[in-house]
Amino acid sequence: MAEHRAMQRSALLDAARTLLSEGGTEALTFPALAERTGLARSSVYEYFRSRGAVVEELCAVDFPVWAAEVELAMTEAPTAAEKIEAYVRRQLDLVRDRRHRAVAAISASELDRGAREKIRAAHGGLVGLVVDALSDLGHEEPRLAAMLLQGVVDAAVRRIELGVAEEPEKIADAAVALALRGVTGY
């Protein structure tokens, strides 16, 4: 029985990832989850009390994987500047990977306070990865610079998700140039 419940919970989370990556937070509804998994809507409520609860669990499961992949890319980079480039590029690469698109699609503004706190904490952990590299480059306020850098990454993610005229690689190049050289060196 426990194994069956774990499989259903996993199926619900996978369906949630698909819904988020296809249509953003507004696409994540209990009727849609029920339809995608073949469960009754009432069964979905046995696993999650709200959309926020689904997102909280996705954050708990998916953000650490996302962060580990970013951290690995940064570890493989030899210089501080290359670590920052890896931080930006790996996140933008992950957006194009279906396994990770749901992380980028989560919109905190549409969720309850608990879910927003989980997202904020997960982003804080991600931002923490780049603080040392920014400090090594001489930033006086590396934590602030890291948060602003993540804002650049988030804007690039949204641009990629919109499917605008620029190729994702061109968006990544622009985000890296902005991160490393600022607006005057672009």
Side-chain angles (χ1 to χ4, degrees), residues 19-66:
L19 289 166
L20 284 165
S21 66
E22 290 174 355
T25 312
E26 61 276 356
L28 180 61
T29 66
F30 280 28
L33 284 171
E35 183 180 321
R36 293 277 174 134
T37 58
L39 295 171
R41 189 184 324 178
S42 59
S43 295
V44 176
Y45 283 100
E46 291 177 27
Y47 293 90
F48 300 104
R49 69 188 182 288
S50 66
R51 285 182 339 143
V54 176
V55 170
E56 284 181 46
E57 184 143 343
L58 281 175
C59 287
V61 172
D62 292 354
F63 268 110
V65 174
W66 176 288

Side-chain angles (χ1 to χ4, degrees), residues 70-81:
V70 172
E71 187 173 24
L72 177 62
M74 290 177 70
T75 301
E76 294 171 350
T79 68

